[in-house]
Amino acid sequence: MVISVTARDDEVRYASSLLVRHRKGDSIYHQGDAACRWFEVVSGIVRTCRFMADGHRQLTGFFYAGDVFGVEADLYSEAAEAVTDVVLHSSPLIRPGDPNRTDSPRALEKALQCARRSIFLFGHRTAANRVAAFLITMAERSGIQAGVQLPMTRSDIADHLNLTLHTVSRTISDFARNGLIALHGRQNFRILDLEGLRVVAGEGPEQESPASRTEARKLASRE
Amino acid sequence: MVISVTARDDEVRYASSLLVRHRKGDSIYHQGDAACRWFEVVSGIVRTCRFMADGHRQLTGFFYAGDVFGVEADLYSEAAEAVTDVVLHSSPLIRPGDPNRTDSPRALEKALQCARRSIFLFGHRTAANRVAAFLITMAERSGIQAGVQLPMTRSDIADHLNLTLHTVSRTISDFARNGLIALHGRQNFRILDLEGLRVVAGEGPEQESPASRTEARKLASRE
DNA sequence: CGAGACTTTGAGAGCAGTCAAATCCTGTGG
DNA sequence: CCACAGGATTTGACTGCTCTCAAAGTCTCG
């Protein structure tokens, strides 16, 4: 069942369930829109972002197949955009005349899981910590070790990790120089040394000795 | 209904609902424990924290009266501790012989709301941004403008904002010197200039001009 | 092949972390 | 009631990591 998202009438708006397609770069909903539907990613990748008063962008999450976004109470507090071409499964949050939410606990749990993942990333202190943790997460989510895709731009990654795109770029280049990963083009990499990457992320076996932290820093430092 | 939390038998463990008391500093559950119950704060304040492999602590959230924590799927991914003496309302996540979760969508929504608040804080770039946003949040949650309590230590705040306790202390002192807030002892403050604080947080009216950012920096800078 | 966007790299400045020490509080014991 | 011990907080000096500003390089799409 595929219904164009341009339809506006309530019949479609409140259809219990529909599939929606969006092209890369499209906006799915805007920050401040009335929150009437929630989404589950069928294929492709979505990003949610919030625009701050000073003009800078915070990227609150990336959503892959199976992930849930748009579960909000009143207004969407963040925008959702398609990172790649996407297919979404969309359901109403509230039906007309029915004050009960129709989002299942399962959807909420998934949304919570995604939120926790974002919080976890921010627990890492340095740029190397955060980028390493991000790359590991990407590899785990894609399920493959070789040929992991990074479909988002460096700028997206930067706004997600609260760094600048320069720092992200430098750090990724350093990882490649130090043999932790191998880059194949801009948006494709392979992890060469998962243990080393975990140590740089601050999640490694880490003997708790001050020496090992110095070690991790050396690995992550340029040259 | 008050039942001591030291009881271990299943009758209590799976009681549909009970009140629990904890003293300041007590651990409510540990990272890695089997997640069998979730909690709603009746009074007092709770913090959840995750201990990273390198020994540093990430404080994932503060929970006030009405907030929900401990809603997790399998194991608790973070520890929960009492910041002050607390009273909690506790309910089982799963009942024996009943594979369905008993946490209501409402509890999940609250947990999600708390998670979003944490993510929001991290969207702020500088130390001044984050501390200002944190203080505003604290004031809003306490509902009062004057005499806002900061029951957690500077170290707690630092681990929550991903800063050091030194930077937190310096920044708060700067705010006081610049007339944005007034400190009354260590754990009590009053907002003197909410608009100014919002500007420093990067959430102010902010004319979008480069000048205003410089302005905010000056306000936040020492001297 | 060319235009444009995205990415990489470099140099310098500024902000936050580290190390160190002084000061302030709080609870305890005399 | 006061002195004291211990922890928490504040402050200072310095280092180093990340941001800013700038420019060159690379990839993609028409």
Side-chain angles (χ1 to χ4, degrees):
Chain A
M1 167 176 62
V2 179
I3 302 178
S4 162
V5 80
T6 58
R8 279 284 178 74
D9 54 298
D10 280 3
E11 188 177 342
V12 168
R13 194 184 193 82
Y14 294 109
S16 63
S17 164
L18 39 92
L19 285 181
V20 192
R21 295 176 189 283
H22 285 285
R23 296 207 169 279
K24 177 177 174 175
D26 280 359
S27 171
I28 296 163
Y29 54 75
H30 295 92
Q31 183 172 344
D33 283 358
C36 53
R37 305 191 69 87
W38 60 275
F39 302 85
E40 177 167 345
V41 179
V42 175
S43 70
I45 302 178
V46 170
R47 65 172 173 248
T48 52
C49 33
R50 183 195 300 263
F51 294 93
M52 315 287 282
D54 63 359
H56 106 112
R57 183 182 68 155
Q58 177 189 10
L59 225 152
T60 53
F62 289 113
F63 300 85
Y64 283 64
D67 291 342
V68 167
F69 65 94
V71 183
E72 305 217 29
D74 184 23
L75 303 176
Y76 290 122
S77 61
E78 50 200 22
E81 299 165 355
V83 174
T84 63
D85 289 355
V86 293
V87 177
L88 307 174
H89 180 89
S90 157
S91 306
L93 286 163
I94 297 172
R95 282 180 229 202
D98 174 7
N100 295 319
R101 301 175 65 96
T102 60
D103 46 337
S104 69
R106 180 81 195 119
L108 279 162
E109 275 175 52
K110 282 188 182 180
L112 193 54
Q113 182 188 0
C114 289
R116 288 221 177 86
R117 194 160 37 215
S118 288
I119 292 175
F120 175 66
L121 273 180
F122 285 121
H124 300 269
R125 291 192 257 30
T126 68
N129 287 162
R130 288 212 275 271
V131 174
F134 177 76
L135 293 181
I136 292 170
T137 302
M138 288 298 104
E140 283 173 350
R141 282 220 251 176
S142 74
I144 347 169
Q145 283 280 323
V148 183
Q149 293 292 130
L150 283 180
M152 64 293 290
T153 66
R154 297 288 188 267
S155 181
D156 283 345
I157 299 173
D159 289 346
H160 188 48
L161 302 180
N162 210 5
L163 299 167
T164 63
L165 75 166
H166 304 108
T167 300
V168 170
S169 177
R170 268 187 251 272
T171 307
I172 291 179
S173 298
D174 292 342
F175 288 169
R177 266 191 282 280
N178 291 319
L180 294 173
I181 62 173
L183 288 171
H184 298 101
R186 293 163 156 174
Q187 311 209 313
N188 194 306
F189 73 98
R190 190 159 60 91
I191 294 181
L192 296 177
D193 179 3
L194 182 56
E195 277 312 299
L197 211 51
R198 282 198 200 284
V199 171
V200 173
E203 302 166 10
E206 197 83 23
Q207 294 77 10
E208 194 68 30
S209 69
S212 61
R213 273 200 58 191
T214 311
E215 193 68 19
R217 289 218 169 145
K218 268 187 207 147
L219 274 168
S221 73
R222 17 211 109 109
E223 185 208 24
Chain B
M1 168 176 61
V2 179
I3 302 178
S4 162
V5 81
T6 58
R8 276 287 177 74
D9 55 297
D10 280 2
E11 188 179 342
V12 168
R13 193 184 194 84
Y14 294 109
S16 65
S17 164
L18 40 92
L19 286 181
V20 190
R21 293 175 190 284
H22 284 285
R23 297 207 169 278
K24 176 176 176 177
D26 280 359
S27 171
I28 297 162
Y29 54 76
H30 295 93
Q31 185 172 343
D33 282 359
C36 53
R37 306 191 69 87
W38 61 275
F39 302 85
E40 177 167 346
V41 178
V42 175
S43 71
I45 301 178
V46 170
R47 65 174 173 245
T48 52
C49 33
R50 183 195 299 262
F51 294 93
M52 315 287 281
D54 62 359
H56 106 113
R57 183 183 69 155
Q58 177 188 9
L59 225 153
T60 53
F62 288 113
F63 300 84
Y64 283 66
D67 291 341
V68 168
F69 65 94
V71 182
E72 304 216 28
D74 184 23
L75 303 177
Y76 290 122
S77 62
E78 49 200 23
E81 301 165 354
V83 174
T84 63
D85 288 356
V86 293
V87 178
L88 307 174
H89 180 90
S90 157
S91 307
L93 285 164
I94 296 172
R95 281 180 230 202
D98 173 8
N100 295 319
R101 300 174 67 96
T102 60
D103 46 336
S104 69
R106 182 79 195 121
L108 279 162
E109 275 176 51
K110 281 188 182 179
L112 193 55
Q113 182 187 0
C114 288
R116 288 222 177 84
R117 194 160 35 215
S118 288
I119 292 175
F120 175 66
L121 273 180
F122 285 120
H124 300 269
R125 289 194 259 31
T126 68
N129 287 162
R130 288 213 274 271
V131 174
F134 177 76
L135 294 181
I136 292 170
T137 303
M138 288 299 104
E140 283 173 349
R141 283 219 250 175
S142 74
I144 349 168
Q145 283 279 320
V148 182
Q149 293 292 129
L150 282 181
M152 65 292 292
T153 66
R154 298 288 188 266
S155 182
D156 283 345
I157 299 173
D159 289 346
H160 187 48
L161 302 180
N162 211 5
L163 299 168
T164 62
L165 75 166
H166 307 271
T167 301
V168 170
S169 176
R170 269 186 250 272
T171 307
I172 290 178
S173 298
D174 291 342
F175 288 169
R177 266 191 282 280
N178 291 319
L180 294 174
I181 62 174
L183 288 172
H184 299 100
R186 293 164 154 174
Q187 309 207 314
N188 194 307
F189 74 98
R190 190 159 60 91
I191 294 181
L192 296 177
D193 178 3
L194 182 56
E195 277 310 299
L197 210 52
R198 282 196 198 285
V199 171
V200 173
E203 303 165 10
E206 196 82 22
Q207 294 78 8
E208 194 67 31
S209 69
S212 60
R213 273 200 59 190
T214 311
E215 192 70 17
R217 290 215 167 146
K218 269 187 209 149
L219 273 168
S221 73
R222 16 211 109 111
E223 186 209 25

